[in-house]
């Protein structure tokens, strides 16, 4: 059984993990997804999803006890962590160090140096690098594997005709990061409105 640590408020972290599952051809029934995302209901029903409030991740001792018990009780043999090697709040730093009976995998993306100044990186069996430019010196690992996710086609949506130039910023929060991305792609400092409607 695979346990996926997927911390992130939006859908991007869940989507990346789902694409990893599809790329690796892991049977959905063998997957458990642990997340704080409000989009947990978008996970396929064949995947067991544990939606846990943000405060739970902040309590390192409680989280560590939960993780150890869950791994034991549900015979988890592989823990896959999305992006944050020590967890978003450092809650995985001690947890992973104490786990020696299962395989540990990190899906790595570029993180700011601030993260690594605040938290250390536990040792992972495998670090899959999902993009170029990752500073591997910040990580501890047995093996590094460059990895490309295959995007699983989802339900077809109606075709939209776009006028050029156009920009698609896919980032849910915090709003400061969304605005920074917008400024980066447009090179402008416009005021614009955000909406949940398409």
């Amino acid at each position: 059984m695979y346990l996926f640590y997927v911390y992130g408020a939006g859908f991007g972290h869940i989507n990346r993990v789902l694409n990893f599952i599809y790329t690796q051809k892991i049977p959905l029934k063998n997957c458990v997804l642990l997340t704080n995302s409000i989009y947990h209901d978008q996970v396929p029903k064949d995947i067991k999803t544990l939606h846990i409030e943000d405060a739970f991740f902040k309590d390192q001792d409680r989280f560590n006890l939960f993780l150890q018990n869950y791994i034991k009780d549900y015979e988890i043999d592989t823990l896959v962590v999305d992006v944050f090697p020590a967890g978003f709040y450092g809650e995985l730093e001690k947890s992973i160090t104490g786990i020696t009976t299962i395989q540990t995998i990190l899906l790595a993306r570029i993180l700011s140096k601030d993260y690594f100044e605040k938290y250390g990186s536990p040792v992972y069996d495998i670090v899959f690098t999902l993009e170029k430019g990752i500073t591997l010196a910040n990580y501890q690992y047995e093996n590094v594997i460059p990895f490309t996710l295959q995007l699983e086609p989802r339900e077809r949506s109606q075709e939209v005709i776009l006028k050029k130039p156009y920009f698609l910023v896919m980032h849910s929060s915090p709003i400061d990061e969304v605005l920074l991305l917008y400024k980066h792609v447009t090179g402008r400092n416009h005021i614009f409105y955000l909406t949940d409607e398409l």
Side-chain angles (χ1 to χ4, degrees):
M1 287 290 288
Y2 289 76
L3 176 60
F4 292 86
Y5 169 97
V6 189
Y7 186 94
F11 188 65
H13 291 269
I14 289 176
N15 193 49
R16 180 171 32 262
V17 165
L18 290 177
N19 284 322
F20 177 79
I21 291 168
Y22 296 134
T23 302
Q24 293 291 84
K25 297 181 174 34
I26 301 169
L28 300 186
K29 64 181 178 156
N30 293 349
C31 300
V32 179
L33 198 141
L34 173 65
T35 186
N36 68 320
S37 174
I38 60 172
Y39 298 102
H40 60 92
D41 59 343
Q42 299 300 310
V43 176
K45 301 298 180 211
D46 289 341
I47 296 176
K48 181 178 174 82
T49 304
L50 304 173
H51 178 247
I52 298 179
E53 296 298 324
D54 193 62
F56 187 81
F57 290 85
K58 294 178 181 178
D59 186 337
Q60 188 173 50
D61 292 334
R62 187 172 164 209
F63 182 87
N64 189 27
L65 182 62
F66 163 81
L67 190 64
Q68 289 178 354
N69 288 337
Y70 198 90
I71 287 169
K72 180 181 169 188
D73 294 345
Y74 293 90
E75 300 179 350
I76 302 296
D77 54 30
T78 305
L79 173 66
V80 180
V81 175
D82 179 57
V83 180
F84 306 108
F88 191 77
Y89 297 107
E91 67 276 16
L92 291 175
E93 204 164 2
K94 290 180 183 174
S95 300
I96 291 182
T97 302
I99 297 170
T100 57
T101 58
I102 67 171
Q103 182 180 49
T104 55
I105 295 173
L106 176 68
L107 306 180
R109 296 193 66 210
I110 296 171
L111 283 175
S112 72
K113 65 178 182 175
D114 296 344
Y115 179 86
F116 294 101
E117 289 170 359
K118 193 169 185 179
Y119 306 115
S121 173
V123 179
Y124 280 86
D125 295 314
I126 301 171
V127 171
F128 286 110
T129 55
L130 302 182
E131 57 190 351
K132 294 179 181 177
I134 295 171
T135 306
L136 288 172
N138 291 329
Y139 298 87
Q140 296 186 68
Y141 50 84
E142 298 294 326
N143 296 294
V144 172
I145 301 173
F147 195 76
T148 302
L149 294 171
Q150 295 175 8
L151 304 181
E152 180 73 8
R154 305 292 202 274
E155 296 177 10
R156 289 187 175 263
S157 57
Q158 186 176 4
E159 185 175 334
V160 177
I161 298 171
L162 301 171
K163 296 179 182 176
K164 293 183 180 180
Y166 60 87
F167 306 96
L168 175 62
V169 176
M170 295 180 63
H171 195 70
S172 62
S173 64
I175 189 64
D176 292 347
E177 289 181 9
V178 175
L179 293 172
L180 182 66
L181 289 168
Y182 174 80
K183 281 192 220 177
H184 177 72
V185 297
T186 63
R188 299 181 197 134
N189 193 8
H190 287 171
I191 295 173
F192 66 103
Y193 298 95
L194 297 176
T195 178
D196 289 335
E197 298 175 10
L198 294 177

